[in-house]
Amino acid sequence: MASSFYSNSQHVDFDSVLAMDDQGMVFMFQALMASGLAGFLGCPAVIYEAALVDFFENASVREGVIISTVAGQLVEISEEWFAESFELPVDGLEDLSEIPKDVIFDSRSIVSLSGEPVSLSGRKNQMKIEFRLLCDIMAKAISVKAGSFNAITVEKFSLMAAVVCGVRMNWARILFSTLKKMVSPGSKQAKGFAVQISLLLENIPNLELGESSAFPASKILTDKTVHRFVSHNDKPDAEEATGALKPKVASKKRPPADVGAAVAKKKRTIKKKSVTSHSTLGMVTVAQEAMPLQMIEGSTAPTADTADQPAAVDAFPADRPAEEIENVERVDEQLTEEPSVEVTSIDDPETVIQQVLNQLDFVTKDPIIAKEDTAKTLFDKSF
């Protein structure tokens, strides 16, 4: 469809924009007129869509002349006719790379919003609002580049610098070269110049162009459309251009509920079985209760007179049970039958008792008679 040839185009109604109250905008459009681009950007805005489709489908370049077939008729467009039709300058610099570097440097400060030179690899919001609009005109109506129009490129800025600083350019050669790229097979140049090509075809005698259509009013820069552009683009971008941080906008999303505050967390308790670990056990020494030994001191019997010797004590008191007496007598009988215990020394009574206990292997199993009594009896017999 032919609408794709002018979807990004910009056309200018100079009579309307020069009557604006915005001095910055008026200065920018005056610079465009002074550069010699007013006839190209402000020509009558008429579109012949069917003729445009034929022109681009059949166009080619031969010896520097654009040749095409429209409605079965041969059409030729030369650079001279192109320049004459739009009153374009034919003298001056023919290449954007020929623009002096000091002009580029001065332009970076002239168009800057913050006063600091704009970055040639940055975005157009670094520039004043009128130069943002000029950047769009250069990108959409002059160089006809597809893609993002917010980024600053060296080519677009060079076109701006030539207009702002009044550099004499051979606009006829530059614009015609762009048109030749549009019709060259394999070229990445976007197709444009829809209004300008329609005007050229209209001036060819006896060429049936079909019905014309008005160029979209939204793409024509007038007093109203420029004000609309300003209101849409002149936002507080100064902070972004100067590197300052913008205040963060509070999120309208509902904040998540504080679950921790609403529901108290229950602590999980784990019951552990009581386990005795060997590592926690310690060796405890238990002192056994020492049983005192009854020691009987030995006495030497008198050799002379025994008349004064006291009466013998009865070994079995009258109140001693008969059963206990029988057990003692039985032990006495066993002692008389077993070999006597050898006692090496009587100097240490405890040693003697220990020796006696070690040599005994017939200790009574009767629970009534204890080891201490047996040891006492043996001790008495030994002495």
mmCIF file of all heavy atoms in Angstrom, residues 164-189:
data_model
loop_
_atom_site.group_PDB
_atom_site.id
_atom_site.type_symbol
_atom_site.label_atom_id
_atom_site.label_comp_id
_atom_site.label_asym_id
_atom_site.label_seq_id
_atom_site.Cartn_x
_atom_site.Cartn_y
_atom_site.Cartn_z
ATOM 1 N N VAL A 164 20.883 24.851 11.695
ATOM 2 C CA VAL A 164 20.983 25.779 12.836
ATOM 3 C C VAL A 164 22.084 26.807 12.611
ATOM 4 O O VAL A 164 21.910 28.017 12.906
ATOM 5 C CB VAL A 164 21.213 24.987 14.145
ATOM 6 C CG1 VAL A 164 21.512 25.932 15.308
ATOM 7 C CG2 VAL A 164 20.001 24.119 14.457
ATOM 8 N N CYS A 165 23.218 26.342 12.119
ATOM 9 C CA CYS A 165 24.363 27.241 11.945
ATOM 10 C C CYS A 165 24.425 27.867 10.549
ATOM 11 O O CYS A 165 25.388 28.591 10.236
ATOM 12 C CB CYS A 165 25.668 26.491 12.239
ATOM 13 S SG CYS A 165 25.804 25.933 13.944
ATOM 14 N N GLY A 166 23.457 27.592 9.688
ATOM 15 C CA GLY A 166 23.395 28.238 8.367
ATOM 16 C C GLY A 166 24.487 27.814 7.422
ATOM 17 O O GLY A 166 24.998 28.639 6.631
ATOM 18 N N VAL A 167 24.896 26.541 7.443
ATOM 19 C CA VAL A 167 25.927 26.048 6.531
ATOM 20 C C VAL A 167 25.315 25.875 5.140
ATOM 21 O O VAL A 167 24.229 25.299 4.992
ATOM 22 C CB VAL A 167 26.500 24.710 7.039
ATOM 23 C CG1 VAL A 167 27.563 24.181 6.077
ATOM 24 C CG2 VAL A 167 27.076 24.868 8.443
ATOM 25 N N ARG A 168 25.984 26.394 4.109
ATOM 26 C CA ARG A 168 25.490 26.265 2.738
ATOM 27 C C ARG A 168 25.683 24.819 2.279
ATOM 28 O O ARG A 168 26.803 24.292 2.264
ATOM 29 C CB ARG A 168 26.217 27.217 1.800
ATOM 30 C CG ARG A 168 25.841 28.675 2.003
ATOM 31 C CD ARG A 168 26.559 29.548 0.980
ATOM 32 N NE ARG A 168 26.172 29.191 -0.379
ATOM 33 C CZ ARG A 168 25.084 29.686 -0.989
ATOM 34 N NH1 ARG A 168 24.277 30.542 -0.359
ATOM 35 N NH2 ARG A 168 24.823 29.345 -2.234
ATOM 36 N N MET A 169 24.572 24.194 1.934
ATOM 37 C CA MET A 169 24.598 22.808 1.496
ATOM 38 C C MET A 169 23.946 22.698 0.124
ATOM 39 O O MET A 169 23.020 23.442 -0.218
ATOM 40 C CB MET A 169 23.838 21.918 2.492
ATOM 41 C CG MET A 169 24.322 21.988 3.930
ATOM 42 S SD MET A 169 25.997 21.318 4.150
ATOM 43 C CE MET A 169 25.747 19.597 3.724
ATOM 44 N N ASN A 170 24.441 21.783 -0.676
ATOM 45 C CA ASN A 170 23.831 21.465 -1.971
ATOM 46 C C ASN A 170 22.691 20.475 -1.709
ATOM 47 O O ASN A 170 22.819 19.264 -1.915
ATOM 48 C CB ASN A 170 24.876 20.873 -2.916
ATOM 49 C CG ASN A 170 24.359 20.696 -4.330
ATOM 50 O OD1 ASN A 170 23.147 20.724 -4.584
ATOM 51 N ND2 ASN A 170 25.278 20.518 -5.273
ATOM 52 N N TRP A 171 21.544 21.038 -1.268
ATOM 53 C CA TRP A 171 20.427 20.193 -0.882
ATOM 54 C C TRP A 171 19.861 19.435 -2.075
ATOM 55 O O TRP A 171 19.323 18.324 -1.917
ATOM 56 C CB TRP A 171 19.334 21.023 -0.226
ATOM 57 C CG TRP A 171 19.710 21.554 1.140
ATOM 58 C CD1 TRP A 171 19.902 22.842 1.483
ATOM 59 C CD2 TRP A 171 19.933 20.775 2.314
ATOM 60 N NE1 TRP A 171 20.234 22.947 2.814
ATOM 61 C CE2 TRP A 171 20.264 21.666 3.354
ATOM 62 C CE3 TRP A 171 19.912 19.417 2.607
ATOM 63 C CZ2 TRP A 171 20.554 21.263 4.646
ATOM 64 C CZ3 TRP A 171 20.206 18.996 3.895
ATOM 65 C CH2 TRP A 171 20.521 19.906 4.905
ATOM 66 N N ALA A 172 19.966 19.987 -3.267
ATOM 67 C CA ALA A 172 19.488 19.270 -4.450
ATOM 68 C C ALA A 172 20.257 17.973 -4.641
ATOM 69 O O ALA A 172 19.667 16.909 -4.895
ATOM 70 C CB ALA A 172 19.628 20.167 -5.686
ATOM 71 N N ARG A 173 21.576 18.012 -4.507
ATOM 72 C CA ARG A 173 22.400 16.808 -4.679
ATOM 73 C C ARG A 173 22.137 15.819 -3.534
ATOM 74 O O ARG A 173 22.023 14.602 -3.773
ATOM 75 C CB ARG A 173 23.878 17.226 -4.713
ATOM 76 C CG ARG A 173 24.873 16.102 -4.826
ATOM 77 C CD ARG A 173 24.757 15.405 -6.172
ATOM 78 N NE ARG A 173 24.828 16.330 -7.293
ATOM 79 C CZ ARG A 173 25.994 16.749 -7.831
ATOM 80 N NH1 ARG A 173 27.146 16.335 -7.330
ATOM 81 N NH2 ARG A 173 25.976 17.557 -8.880
ATOM 82 N N ILE A 174 22.052 16.318 -2.298
ATOM 83 C CA ILE A 174 21.866 15.433 -1.139
ATOM 84 C C ILE A 174 20.509 14.724 -1.204
ATOM 85 O O ILE A 174 20.417 13.494 -1.018
ATOM 86 C CB ILE A 174 22.008 16.242 0.165
ATOM 87 C CG1 ILE A 174 23.449 16.748 0.318
ATOM 88 C CG2 ILE A 174 21.604 15.405 1.370
ATOM 89 C CD1 ILE A 174 23.649 17.701 1.496
ATOM 90 N N LEU A 175 19.442 15.461 -1.477
ATOM 91 C CA LEU A 175 18.105 14.864 -1.497
ATOM 92 C C LEU A 175 17.899 13.947 -2.709
ATOM 93 O O LEU A 175 17.248 12.899 -2.591
ATOM 94 C CB LEU A 175 17.046 15.967 -1.499
ATOM 95 C CG LEU A 175 16.965 16.787 -0.198
ATOM 96 C CD1 LEU A 175 15.982 17.938 -0.363
ATOM 97 C CD2 LEU A 175 16.572 15.909 0.980
ATOM 98 N N PHE A 176 18.460 14.303 -3.848
ATOM 99 C CA PHE A 176 18.324 13.447 -5.028
ATOM 100 C C PHE A 176 19.099 12.141 -4.831
ATOM 101 O O PHE A 176 18.674 11.083 -5.324
ATOM 102 C CB PHE A 176 18.798 14.185 -6.284
ATOM 103 C CG PHE A 176 18.439 13.488 -7.553
ATOM 104 C CD1 PHE A 176 17.131 13.487 -8.016
ATOM 105 C CD2 PHE A 176 19.413 12.830 -8.304
ATOM 106 C CE1 PHE A 176 16.786 12.841 -9.197
ATOM 107 C CE2 PHE A 176 19.079 12.187 -9.480
ATOM 108 C CZ PHE A 176 17.769 12.184 -9.922
ATOM 109 N N SER A 177 20.227 12.210 -4.150
ATOM 110 C CA SER A 177 20.978 10.983 -3.848
ATOM 111 C C SER A 177 20.152 10.054 -2.962
ATOM 112 O O SER A 177 20.189 8.819 -3.119
ATOM 113 C CB SER A 177 22.301 11.332 -3.159
ATOM 114 O OG SER A 177 23.135 12.092 -4.003
ATOM 115 N N THR A 178 19.413 10.644 -2.025
ATOM 116 C CA THR A 178 18.538 9.829 -1.174
ATOM 117 C C THR A 178 17.440 9.178 -2.004
ATOM 118 O O THR A 178 17.096 8.004 -1.797
ATOM 119 C CB THR A 178 17.919 10.698 -0.064
ATOM 120 O OG1 THR A 178 18.971 11.313 0.703
ATOM 121 C CG2 THR A 178 17.054 9.872 0.852
ATOM 122 N N LEU A 179 16.861 9.902 -2.954
ATOM 123 C CA LEU A 179 15.821 9.335 -3.809
ATOM 124 C C LEU A 179 16.366 8.190 -4.662
ATOM 125 O O LEU A 179 15.677 7.173 -4.877
ATOM 126 C CB LEU A 179 15.243 10.438 -4.701
ATOM 127 C CG LEU A 179 14.121 10.021 -5.653
ATOM 128 C CD1 LEU A 179 12.943 9.431 -4.884
ATOM 129 C CD2 LEU A 179 13.682 11.213 -6.502
ATOM 130 N N LYS A 180 17.563 8.316 -5.161
ATOM 131 C CA LYS A 180 18.151 7.236 -5.961
ATOM 132 C C LYS A 180 18.358 5.966 -5.119
ATOM 133 O O LYS A 180 18.199 4.842 -5.652
ATOM 134 C CB LYS A 180 19.485 7.701 -6.556
ATOM 135 C CG LYS A 180 19.340 8.707 -7.670
ATOM 136 C CD LYS A 180 20.646 8.932 -8.414
ATOM 137 C CE LYS A 180 21.688 9.590 -7.537
ATOM 138 N NZ LYS A 180 22.924 9.908 -8.325
ATOM 139 N N LYS A 181 18.708 6.143 -3.833
ATOM 140 C CA LYS A 181 18.847 4.969 -2.963
ATOM 141 C C LYS A 181 17.515 4.281 -2.739
ATOM 142 O O LYS A 181 17.452 3.052 -2.553
ATOM 143 C CB LYS A 181 19.438 5.397 -1.620
ATOM 144 C CG LYS A 181 20.878 5.876 -1.682
ATOM 145 C CD LYS A 181 21.359 6.350 -0.320
ATOM 146 C CE LYS A 181 22.777 6.895 -0.403
ATOM 147 N NZ LYS A 181 23.242 7.429 0.918
ATOM 148 N N MET A 182 16.423 5.055 -2.746
ATOM 149 C CA MET A 182 15.100 4.462 -2.519
ATOM 150 C C MET A 182 14.720 3.492 -3.633
ATOM 151 O O MET A 182 14.028 2.499 -3.388
ATOM 152 C CB MET A 182 14.041 5.576 -2.442
ATOM 153 C CG MET A 182 14.129 6.448 -1.212
ATOM 154 S SD MET A 182 12.820 7.714 -1.243
ATOM 155 C CE MET A 182 13.311 8.744 0.138
ATOM 156 N N VAL A 183 15.139 3.775 -4.861
ATOM 157 C CA VAL A 183 14.726 2.950 -5.992
ATOM 158 C C VAL A 183 15.796 1.952 -6.413
ATOM 159 O O VAL A 183 15.581 1.187 -7.374
ATOM 160 C CB VAL A 183 14.357 3.852 -7.195
ATOM 161 C CG1 VAL A 183 13.192 4.754 -6.838
ATOM 162 C CG2 VAL A 183 15.557 4.672 -7.666
ATOM 163 N N SER A 184 16.931 1.956 -5.715
ATOM 164 C CA SER A 184 18.006 1.017 -6.060
ATOM 165 C C SER A 184 17.708 -0.353 -5.439
ATOM 166 O O SER A 184 17.402 -0.453 -4.244
ATOM 167 C CB SER A 184 19.351 1.531 -5.552
ATOM 168 O OG SER A 184 19.690 2.758 -6.168
ATOM 169 N N PRO A 185 17.769 -1.423 -6.226
ATOM 170 C CA PRO A 185 17.510 -2.761 -5.694
ATOM 171 C C PRO A 185 18.530 -3.140 -4.617
ATOM 172 O O PRO A 185 19.724 -2.877 -4.750
ATOM 173 C CB PRO A 185 17.642 -3.674 -6.929
ATOM 174 C CG PRO A 185 17.449 -2.770 -8.099
ATOM 175 C CD PRO A 185 18.003 -1.448 -7.681
ATOM 176 N N GLY A 186 18.055 -3.750 -3.550
ATOM 177 C CA GLY A 186 18.931 -4.178 -2.458
ATOM 178 C C GLY A 186 19.320 -3.100 -1.489
ATOM 179 O O GLY A 186 20.037 -3.365 -0.515
ATOM 180 N N SER A 187 18.864 -1.873 -1.725
ATOM 181 C CA SER A 187 19.208 -0.782 -0.812
ATOM 182 C C SER A 187 18.357 -0.872 0.458
ATOM 183 O O SER A 187 17.177 -1.243 0.411
ATOM 184 C CB SER A 187 18.986 0.566 -1.489
ATOM 185 O OG SER A 187 19.198 1.623 -0.573
ATOM 186 N N LYS A 188 18.954 -0.519 1.587
ATOM 187 C CA LYS A 188 18.239 -0.500 2.858
ATOM 188 C C LYS A 188 17.567 0.838 3.134
ATOM 189 O O LYS A 188 16.973 1.017 4.189
ATOM 190 C CB LYS A 188 19.207 -0.827 3.999
ATOM 191 C CG LYS A 188 19.775 -2.237 3.939
ATOM 192 C CD LYS A 188 20.695 -2.505 5.122
ATOM 193 C CE LYS A 188 21.261 -3.928 5.050
ATOM 194 N NZ LYS A 188 22.164 -4.202 6.209
ATOM 195 N N GLN A 189 17.663 1.739 2.174
ATOM 196 C CA GLN A 189 17.037 3.051 2.328
ATOM 197 C C GLN A 189 15.515 2.905 2.325
ATOM 198 O O GLN A 189 14.939 2.271 1.434
ATOM 199 C CB GLN A 189 17.473 3.981 1.198
ATOM 200 C CG GLN A 189 16.787 5.328 1.186
ATOM 201 C CD GLN A 189 17.166 6.194 2.369
ATOM 202 O OE1 GLN A 189 18.345 6.379 2.656
ATOM 203 N NE2 GLN A 189 16.167 6.710 3.061
#
